[in-house]
Amino acid sequence: MRLPRRLAAIAACLLLAACGAEPTPEPPARPIEIAFVPKVQSIAYFDAMNEGGRRAAQVLGVNWTYRGPLTADAAEQAAIVREFIGRGVNVVVVAPNDPDSIAPVVAEAKAKGIRVLTTDTDAPNSGRELFVNQAGAESIGRALTDALMQKTAGAGQYAIVSCGPAAANLNAWIAVQKAYTAQNYPQAQIVDIVYVGEDQNAAAAKAKELMTTHPQLTGLVGECTTSAPGVAKAVREAGRIGQVFTVGVGTPQTMKEYLRDGSSSASVLWDVENLGYLTAWAAKQAADGKVPEPMNNVSPELPAVRYTGADKTLVLGDPLLITNDNVDQFDY
């Protein structure tokens, strides 16, 4: 007697199962996609962060994409984040040019189930999930001030050449410098604070202008990794080495030539590649639905990274002072 077709199919399936036939394997899970959107692409600082993030991605088994605006343009940066939202990445990590303008984009990402972190500079009111901080604002602002005051005998007039006027991290450091100078170096005075975007040549031009406007100027601070070499270049080209001292937040190899000839006295920074590594690690934690512990063993180079739940912030560590004596220890 012939079985109905449906019963025959069921019998065949049962026979295959009894004979140990293997089921069709599930397709492999899609790797976690992390998108890193810096303030500006293709400057030494963010390229070094990208290298650290890429290295971590290989260790963690995730995909890492690096893309940012060509200038410090908040609107262009937001548009890039929206592109990544459209692609359905798992995590977007952004170093916001403007903490206010990034907030609507963060909301759009969260509505799609995409986790959003900030790194390098924060947007604390944006709804971001976590901030990866390079070092505390207090320690960076004090280190910049102390490094300059060591060259000017704790006195004199100095000016600050910053980058984006809305950059939260730079503004936090400047606030510390103003208060710390007034309290600890009463014979010193900040005579001007100017903003030039992420543009080394604009920083150099503005620094020359400041030296003309303030003929008694004894110091210049380059507040970001493009203005730090810019102010040093201005002092060199103006023939003012040894008269106007400069410090800043510059990457080692960018600052090396200026540290060598004394147009820059020191750079206050941190291990930028490690900041990128920590950023990728934090993004993987977020994608996995994990909250960092109060103390985290991230890697052999980062065995004790602190996390504070109150402000949802990971802190890389203390800043480094880079001088002519140790600049060759860093290859970025």
Side-chain angles (χ1 to χ4, degrees):
M1 181 178 69
R2 296 182 63 185
L3 292 171
R5 182 177 298 176
R6 184 175 179 185
L7 290 176
I10 293 172
C13 289
L14 291 172
L15 181 62
L16 284 171
C19 293
E22 294 185 3
T24 303
E26 292 287 333
R30 191 187 78 163
I32 291 170
E33 299 280 345
I34 300 169
F36 172 42
V37 184
K39 290 180 181 178
V40 183
Q41 186 156 338
S42 299
I43 64 173
Y45 179 86
F46 287 115
D47 286 348
M49 270 194 75
N50 176 54
E51 178 58 27
R54 188 192 61 77
R55 180 163 48 87
Q58 292 177 339
V59 173
L60 298 169
V62 300
N63 290 341
W64 172 270
T65 304
Y66 167 56
R67 185 177 165 219
L70 298 179
T71 62
D73 186 313
E76 184 182 355
Q77 185 180 52
I80 292 170
V81 173
R82 286 191 172 98
E83 288 184 29
F84 283 122
I85 293 171
R87 283 171 48 177
V89 301
N90 300 96
V91 186
V92 174
V93 189
V94 60
N97 282 300
D98 182 347
D100 293 329
S101 67
I102 205 68
V105 194
V106 173
E108 292 174 27
K110 291 173 70 175
K112 298 282 188 179
I114 296 170
R115 321 302 280 261
V116 182
L117 280 60
T118 53
T119 187
D120 180 70
T121 186
D122 198 11
N125 299 318
S126 66
R128 54 78 172 154
E129 186 165 330
L130 181 148
F131 171 43
V132 184
N133 192 5
Q134 59 273 67
E138 193 75 20
S139 60
I140 294 172
R142 291 185 177 196
L144 284 166
T145 306
D146 287 339
L148 182 61
M149 292 296 102
Q150 286 176 8
K151 303 301 294 187
T152 64
Q157 299 180 350
Y158 76 94
I160 296 172
V161 180
S162 192
C163 292
N169 59 338
L170 309 186
N171 290 337
W173 305 341
I174 291 170
V176 172
Q177 288 163 259
K178 290 165 70 175
Y180 188 65
T181 298
Q183 181 176 356
N184 295 275
Y185 299 102
Q187 294 181 313
Q189 179 188 11
I190 300 174
V191 294
D192 212 341
I193 301 170
V194 298
Y195 301 88
V196 294
E198 299 279 349
D199 188 323
Q200 181 174 328
N201 291 330
K206 182 59 71 172
K208 289 177 183 178
E209 182 182 314
L210 287 166
M211 286 187 281
T212 300
T213 304
H214 305 281
Q216 302 303 313
L217 202 69
T218 55
L220 286 162
V221 177
E223 204 73 19
C224 67
T225 58
T226 51
S227 65
V231 298
K233 179 182 179 183
V235 166
R236 171 198 284 174
E237 292 181 349
R240 302 290 298 278
I241 295 175
Q243 301 169 20
V244 178
F245 298 93
T246 78
V247 300
V249 181
T251 51
Q253 292 304 306
T254 301
M255 297 306 299
K256 183 175 179 177
E257 63 176 293
Y258 304 109
L259 293 168
R260 287 280 189 259
D261 70 9
S263 52
S264 176
S265 299
S267 178
V268 174
L269 202 63
W270 39 89
D271 191 312
V272 182
E273 289 189 5
N274 276 349
L275 180 62
Y277 193 107
L278 179 59
T279 297
W281 179 88
K284 172 66 162 55
Q285 291 281 108
D288 291 341
K290 297 178 181 178
V291 176
E293 299 293 331
M295 187 68 72
N296 300 272
N297 184 357
V298 173
S299 72
E301 293 79 21
L302 299 170
V305 175
R306 294 184 182 276
Y307 173 75
T308 54
D311 56 4
K312 299 180 180 178
T313 298
L314 281 167
V315 180
L316 180 69
D318 295 327
L320 304 171
L321 188 66
I322 300 165
T323 67
N324 186 44
D325 294 331
N326 66 358
V327 66
D328 287 326
Q329 298 176 17
F330 307 92
D331 60 3
Y332 55 86

